[in-house]
Amino acid sequence: MEIKQIIENKKQFLELLLLADEQESMIDRYLDRGEMFVLEEDGVKAVCVVTDEGDGHFEIKNLATDPLYQRKGYGRKMIQAMFAQYQHKGHTMLVGTGDSPLTIPFYESFGFVISHQIENFFIENYDYPIFENGKQLKNMIMLKKNL
């Protein structure tokens, strides 16, 4: 297994990025300014984009694992690698996600805690309703963890 930083042609991974963020225009808001990493093991298994939000804060903007390889620890390995990558560059890792019982416990298992929520984020920023596990997402839940 190897995690590589992608400097150029980040959109070659658009199909995978769209698994975590369903609207390309939203991905375009952070892709160029973010640092992108891919986890490879006999092909690309996962992707992650992290942005520098200033004052020692970094944010995981996108974390996606190929559906064929989900629940095999690739997302977990990617998060651990991001902690290692950024622990000496800043003090806080942030992540925003929908109010979903599928994703919040995943991040909490790494020690993330809910910081705040952004009301109506998914309604105001996406062209169409976003659903996860049959529930329409409205608010973005922001979680944080000290590095």
Side-chain angles (χ1 to χ4, degrees):
M1 181 191 75
E2 182 179 13
I3 295 177
K4 296 180 181 177
Q5 185 171 0
I6 305 299
I7 305 296
E8 297 177 339
N9 196 17
K10 296 176 184 178
K11 282 258 183 135
Q12 69 180 305
F13 301 100
L14 183 61
E15 186 176 337
L16 202 49
L17 292 166
L18 286 167
L19 292 173
D21 197 341
E22 297 178 20
Q23 189 168 300
E24 186 173 353
S25 65
M26 292 299 285
I27 293 169
D28 289 340
R29 290 183 180 186
Y30 56 79
L31 190 59
D32 284 341
R33 70 183 183 94
E35 293 185 321
M36 174 185 259
F37 300 87
V38 296
L39 185 153
E40 294 181 345
E41 186 173 73
D42 297 322
V44 174
K45 301 295 190 268
V47 64
C48 186
V49 179
V50 176
T51 57
D52 184 341
E53 297 300 314
D55 296 324
H57 293 84
F58 291 89
E59 184 175 346
I60 297 171
K61 291 287 194 178
N62 193 306
L63 173 66
T65 302
D66 184 312
L68 295 174
Y69 302 100
Q70 290 176 357
R71 301 209 159 293
K72 298 189 183 306
Y74 292 113
R76 184 164 292 283
K77 289 190 185 308
M78 185 66 90
I79 293 268
Q80 291 166 339
M82 295 305 99
F83 290 159
Q85 177 74 21
Y86 292 97
Q87 69 181 351
H88 300 294
K89 297 178 181 179
H91 54 75
T92 305
M93 184 65 76
L94 305 166
V95 64
T97 189
D99 186 6
S100 167
L102 297 177
T103 52
I104 293 173
F106 172 75
Y107 290 112
E108 287 176 334
S109 74
F110 291 98
F112 281 93
V113 295
I114 294 175
S115 167
H116 63 283
Q117 72 179 12
I118 302 171
E119 298 289 330
N120 297 315
F121 179 86
F122 292 98
I123 293 170
E124 294 173 358
N125 289 284
Y126 286 80
D127 296 340
Y128 50 87
I130 304 294
F131 290 88
E132 188 168 308
N133 202 29
K135 177 185 173 191
Q136 183 177 353
L137 300 181
K138 295 179 183 174
N139 305 322
M140 178 178 284
I141 308 301
M142 294 299 299
L143 298 102
K144 68 179 181 178
K145 176 181 172 44
N146 293 333
L147 292 172

